[in-house]
Amino acid sequence: MIRSHPTKPFDDQKPGTSGLRKKVRHFARANYAENFIQSVFDVVDRGDNATLVIGGDGRYHNRAVIQTAIRMAAANGYARVLIGQGGILSTPAASHVIRKYRASGGLVLSASHNPGGPDEDFGIKYNIANGGPAPESVTGAIHARTLEIDRWLDVDAADVDLDTIGTATVGEMAVEVIDPVADYADLMEELFDFAAIRKAVAGGLTMAFDAMHAVTGPYAHEILENRLGFAAGTVRNGTPLEDFGGHHPDPNLVHAKVLYDLMMDPELAPAFGAASDGDGDRNLIIGKGRFITPSDSLAMLAANAHLAPAYAGGLKGIARSMPTSAAADRVAEALDIPVFETPTGWKFFGNLLDAGMVTICGEESAGTGSDHVREKDGLWAVLLWLNILAATGKSVDQIAREHWARFGRNYYARHDYEGVESDRADALMAELSASLGDLPGKSFGPLTVAQADSISYCDPVDGSVSENQGIRVLFEGGSRVVFRLSGTGTQGATIRVYLERYEPAGGRLDADTPDMLADIIAAAQAIAGIKAHTGRAAPDVVT
Ligand code: G1P
Ligand code: ZN
């Protein structure tokens, strides 16, 4: 029996960069998750007998929303839902499952790298049939629907046992609880030379992987320890916890400091260190004594991808988000393949991947991936690095130095000002926008502005235009600063300032990043008046 529950719209359900993100308490209000899920079901494309995938990163509130979503899917005419055991599916694994089982889409329940628990964050993202995040045309329709919704539907049914693999029926819909790891691990084994990595491990290659008590624990145990033979204990914090052990599951140098310190210890460091975030789509790569920025990692992976079986035939192209450093562009030039610069957010890569125009994509925010799924993929990046280390016998540090010697080095940092009052952040961006016309030709210390503009993107595949994607100031000589407001925060506004300086081959390739960026940091302050607008003298997080 289908039940119709009257409801009223909420005015704050516009999906951001990664779906709808709010505090758990906000999400748990009556009708809140239901309205959003119903809005999705009301507008998205799905034929008859559609399959829906549901999975999450195991954070607090996952299970409750999954049970609700199952009852609602049954009432909304889905024929089948596929759910990872325990409600678990990493974001890349969910993307793969959607593609493999030809689902019409999926609900990915996560707030990525944000903390979990009753007072922390939760999120729902809808992915389409290609396995990737819904494009703006779809998220726009979902948002419009949330503003007029007046009822949501479900069936009267008991909770499904999420912990036992098997099949159940809810209403007339089949519910299949599947192994969340097996399909994904098999895909990784197809892409990479596991035999070569196993041999390197047997020959002494060591690593530490920090799963941060988040979703990648079970994946990493199976792939790294069981299939590749790394020693037990290689995977740290490998049991997913609803509150991630009270930490931020954010694989950066602040929240993965324990791993970083280990990797910088000349006595104790293994050859390779890595971490992934709450939902498994981000990665942190640190070699013994050598941190690799995500922008550099994208470039180095692209330059060496041919060493892995899946990419032996070469890359079709590379895509990077606009604030990501231009290091990958130099590799694309050397490989004589196209490079695309997109706005922030993985959804912008979907069309390029679907059209076969690019093979590898990346973002400065620790996201790297390829055409094997339609999400960024943390463990994929780790495995491609391992494949490269195994194939070359080189260390991470050696690969990095050789890369810079050939292509030059893009010194890079991102400064985040978090929890800024929204009005103040908006005022900063508005004032900056209004001043763009005056900037070209102006000098800030040794830097002279060559170009300043607000970024808009025209999708080369479908021609859709996305405006106001950030503000870019380019200096003569190839340095630049980009300003944008985060689309994923759950409290106030986060101002992101992206700083980049290019040093050509033969230049200063092993200097300290803060020294190399000092002039650009000062110019960014002067141009945007960050202190005057926010009252903050320094960023909250530097990555
Ligand atoms: C952030 C990152 C962006 C990434 C997104 C989802 O978005 O900057 O690269 O795609 O998270 O993981 P932002 O908060 O900057 O809008
Ligand atoms: Zn994530």
Side-chain angles (χ1 to χ4, degrees):
M1 248 280 277
I2 295 173
R3 305 184 298 193
S4 178
H5 304 261
T7 188
K8 291 203 180 86
F10 294 92
D11 63 4
D12 64 349
Q13 297 201 315
K14 183 174 199 262
T17 322
S18 304
L20 185 64
R21 290 259 174 94
K22 301 285 173 201
K23 292 286 170 200
V24 165
R25 292 196 196 286
H26 198 92
F27 246 109
R29 290 184 301 166
N31 298 331
Y32 196 82
E34 290 84 350
N35 273 19
F36 187 74
I37 293 169
Q38 185 64 51
S39 298
V40 170
F41 292 164
D42 281 345
V43 305
V44 298
D45 272 345
R46 56 193 162 108
D48 296 338
N49 295 318
T51 296
L52 178 74
V53 172
I54 308 177
D57 62 9
R59 70 178 57 230
Y60 184 83
H61 204 48
N62 246 13
R63 285 172 178 262
V65 173
I66 289 176
Q67 298 292 356
T68 300
I70 293 170
R71 284 188 275 268
M72 290 182 65
N76 279 278
Y78 281 95
R80 178 172 71 146
V81 293
L82 300 177
I83 304 173
Q85 186 182 21
I88 293 275
L89 275 178
S90 77
T91 292
S95 183
H96 178 53
V97 169
I98 291 170
R99 294 162 66 80
K100 178 166 178 181
Y101 297 99
R102 298 186 186 285
S104 63
L107 293 172
V108 181
L109 311 180
S110 169
S112 189
H113 49 290
N114 292 352
D119 295 316
E120 300 296 353
D121 295 347
F122 191 74
I124 304 182
K125 179 170 75 161
Y126 182 72
N127 282 23
I128 59 174
N130 75 354
E136 288 196 339
S137 56
V138 177
T139 55
I142 294 169
H143 179 221
R145 183 67 193 145
T146 66
L147 297 174
E148 56 191 31
I149 190 159
D150 59 5
R151 59 90 185 93
W152 55 269
L153 309 175
D154 76 353
V155 296
D156 187 7
D159 281 358
V160 168
D161 173 6
L162 298 177
D163 295 303
T164 310
I165 290 176
T167 306
T169 306
V170 170
E172 291 172 13
M173 182 183 77
V175 178
E176 289 178 32
V177 175
I178 62 171
D179 181 332
V181 174
D183 289 321
Y184 177 84
D186 291 349
L187 174 65
M188 293 300 118
E189 200 154 354
E190 278 167 34
L191 300 177
F192 300 114
D193 190 346
F194 273 34
I197 303 173
R198 262 197 303 272
K199 201 166 153 212
V201 174
L205 177 65
T206 51
M207 86 171 281
F209 180 83
D210 189 348
M212 306 190 89
H213 288 303
V215 80
T216 48
Y219 297 85
H221 276 301
E222 170 62 15
I223 296 171
L224 300 176
E225 294 178 0
N226 296 349
R227 298 199 188 189
L228 290 173
F230 281 104
T234 294
V235 179
R236 292 143 194 249
N237 303 319
T239 305
L241 299 177
E242 286 198 331
D243 67 349
F244 308 117
H247 300 291
H248 286 230
D250 190 349
N252 63 25
L253 298 184
V254 178
H255 297 297
K257 189 166 184 309
V258 173
L259 178 73
Y260 178 80
D261 290 345
L262 171 70
M263 295 309 298
M264 294 304 136
D265 185 323
E267 308 282 302
L268 298 177
F272 187 64
S276 190
D277 71 331
D279 62 328
D281 57 358
R282 296 187 176 202
N283 69 87
L284 171 70
I285 302 294
I286 315 178
K288 180 173 184 169
R290 173 65 69 186
F291 165 63
I292 304 293
T293 68
S295 295
D296 271 348
S297 181
L298 172 66
M300 292 169 192
L301 291 179
N304 294 289
H306 60 275
L307 297 170
Y311 312 102
L315 307 178
K316 292 170 185 149
I318 304 173
R320 64 167 173 84
S321 70
M322 186 267 311
T324 303
S325 95
D329 301 23
R330 301 179 201 286
V331 175
E333 200 184 319
L335 295 175
D336 197 20
I337 55 174
V339 60
F340 298 87
E341 191 177 44
T342 63
T344 295
W346 205 261
K347 62 188 174 194
F348 291 101
F349 296 137
N351 276 351
L352 296 168
L353 291 164
D354 283 349
M357 293 162 79
V358 302
T359 306
I360 282 189
C361 309
E363 293 195 281
E364 52 65 39
S365 53
T368 335
S370 87
D371 56 2
H372 67 290
V373 289
R374 292 295 179 274
E375 290 277 7
K376 57 194 178 229
D377 189 343
L379 273 168
W380 171 90
V382 170
L383 292 166
L384 181 48
W385 266 102
L386 286 172
N387 196 142
I388 293 165
L389 297 181
T392 60
K394 292 177 184 170
S395 69
V396 172
D397 182 56
Q398 198 181 349
I399 287 172
R401 286 172 188 276
E402 290 177 9
H403 187 95
W404 294 329
R406 177 172 172 206
F407 297 101
R409 179 169 177 185
N410 293 68
Y411 287 92
Y412 188 86
R414 187 178 93 187
H415 290 188
D416 293 334
Y417 298 80
E418 294 180 340
V420 177
E421 273 172 59
S422 294
D423 291 352
R424 288 179 159 210
D426 290 342
L428 180 150
M429 293 301 284
E431 209 170 279
L432 185 56
S433 297
S435 72
L436 292 178
D438 303 331
L439 286 177
K442 265 200 184 173
S443 290
F444 297 88
L447 296 164
T448 303
V449 176
Q451 186 189 329
D453 52 16
S454 167
I455 295 134
S456 74
Y457 176 68
C458 178
D459 187 301
V461 180
D462 65 17
S464 61
V465 175
S466 304
E467 276 166 347
N468 297 322
Q469 299 296 320
I471 288 173
R472 165 173 63 182
V473 179
L474 306 177
F475 301 101
E476 284 169 11
S479 296
R480 64 172 193 165
V481 54
V482 173
F483 304 88
R484 61 179 282 280
L485 298 184
S486 158
T488 58
T490 51
Q491 239 167 12
T494 295
I495 302 168
R496 302 205 195 282
V497 184
Y498 308 83
L499 307 140
E500 177 177 359
R501 167 171 170 178
Y502 178 60
E503 189 70 13
R508 295 176 62 194
L509 299 178
D510 210 1
D512 277 342
T513 299
D515 293 346
M516 295 300 275
L517 295 179
D519 292 335
I520 300 166
I521 294 169
Q525 267 294 353
I527 290 169
I530 301 168
K531 191 166 176 207
H533 278 285
T534 64
R536 309 275 177 91
D540 299 285
V541 181
V542 175
T543 48

